[in-house]
Amino acid sequence: MLDLEQSFYNEKINFIAGCDEAGRGPLCGPVVAAAVIFDKEYHNDLINDSKKLTIKKREELFEIIKKDALAYGIAIIDPLIIDQINIYEASRLGMIEALKKIDHPIDLILTDAMPLKFKDNEVKPFIKGDAKALCIAAASILAKVTRDKIMDEYDKLYPEYNFKKNKGYPTKEHLKIIKERGIIKGLYRESYKPVKDILYPPIKLF
């Protein structure tokens, strides 16, 4: 059972927001972050770390979480921003932007290993928080499903890159595709080494 947040509820803490992101590792597409608040009595044993769920189960829970949450926010940070401030800071920015979209009191924020500042709220980062806290796991699902849907739309525009399958991650097949076809400007993260090597191939002097 994911119940880490239960240990923090008291007379002063009633509303806990969980934050997580999806998409740090891919070569292209955005990083997506989400924040979720549940009622402190809420339980759902089906919610888990998004990485441990099937695509179908994630999509089902995506709708359930949006319906059951007291409030949620989702933020999308595009590749240009990722290149400007780096993926770690872009992930942090995404969580902050997701929290800004929540129109609800927040007494405490729990994140998946991400220290951040948001207004005057206390923030507690936890390593593998998406496997410990229900609200963080729910945020991981919202972020993952949102990002996957974005990559599926890119797949319709650029079917030759097979984004529906690779979701932008540097799979062997994806690396082969971008070596053969090049990258799509504005979609790929130009600060990432495999992309940078294609844009600026090493010069052989001898």
Side-chain angles (χ1 to χ4, degrees):
M1 181 183 291
L2 309 185
D3 59 0
L4 174 68
E5 57 264 64
Q6 293 298 322
S7 63
F8 295 107
Y9 288 120
N10 57 42
E11 65 278 3
K12 292 183 179 179
I13 298 176
N14 292 294
F15 304 113
I16 298 176
C19 297
D20 202 0
E21 50 69 35
R24 282 203 204 185
L27 303 178
C28 59
V31 62
V32 177
V36 177
I37 301 176
F38 288 123
D39 183 277
K40 62 182 179 182
E41 302 295 334
Y42 182 78
H43 295 284
N44 187 327
D45 290 338
L46 297 177
I47 294 174
N48 202 345
D49 172 4
S50 64
K51 296 184 290 296
K52 297 178 181 178
L53 300 170
T54 64
I55 294 172
K56 183 180 179 183
K57 184 56 68 178
R58 280 199 301 264
E59 291 179 348
E60 289 173 356
L61 286 167
F62 180 80
E63 300 301 332
I64 291 170
I65 292 163
K66 290 195 298 179
K67 177 173 66 71
D68 291 354
L70 292 176
Y72 68 89
I74 299 172
I76 299 165
I77 308 299
D78 68 38
L80 180 62
I81 301 299
I82 294 171
D83 285 337
Q84 288 175 346
I85 64 175
N86 77 50
I87 187 59
Y88 185 79
E89 292 302 328
S91 299
R92 193 201 313 269
L93 175 63
M95 291 186 190
I96 292 170
E97 291 300 316
L99 287 164
K100 286 180 181 178
K101 294 185 178 185
I102 288 182
D103 184 19
H104 193 284
I106 299 174
D107 300 320
L108 176 66
I109 297 168
L110 307 182
T111 74
D112 185 23
M114 176 62 74
L116 57 85
K117 291 183 180 180
F118 183 72
K119 298 181 179 179
D120 295 324
N121 291 108
E122 182 180 6
V123 179
K124 292 184 179 291
F126 289 93
I127 295 172
K128 295 185 178 178
D130 51 0
K132 298 174 182 176
L134 188 73
C135 56
I136 300 178
S140 79
I141 291 167
L142 293 192
K144 173 66 173 168
V145 173
T146 299
R147 189 181 186 282
D148 283 355
K149 287 179 182 294
I150 291 170
M151 296 311 296
D152 288 349
E153 289 303 309
Y154 281 130
D155 184 74
K156 294 175 185 176
L157 293 172
Y158 310 103
E160 63 273 19
Y161 284 80
N162 205 7
F163 292 138
K164 190 170 185 65
K165 180 182 177 184
N166 63 52
K167 297 297 189 282
Y169 282 87
T171 63
K172 186 176 180 180
E173 179 203 46
H174 188 193
L175 291 171
K176 183 173 182 289
I177 289 169
I178 60 174
K179 284 177 183 177
E180 293 173 351
R181 294 182 174 275
I183 66 143
I184 303 162
K185 293 291 279 187
L187 179 56
Y188 277 80
R189 304 172 184 180
E190 297 186 15
S191 57
Y192 277 41
K193 189 177 184 303
V195 180
K196 197 182 296 184
D197 287 348
I198 287 170
L199 288 171
Y200 313 104
I203 299 172
K204 294 182 180 180
L205 298 178
F206 304 102

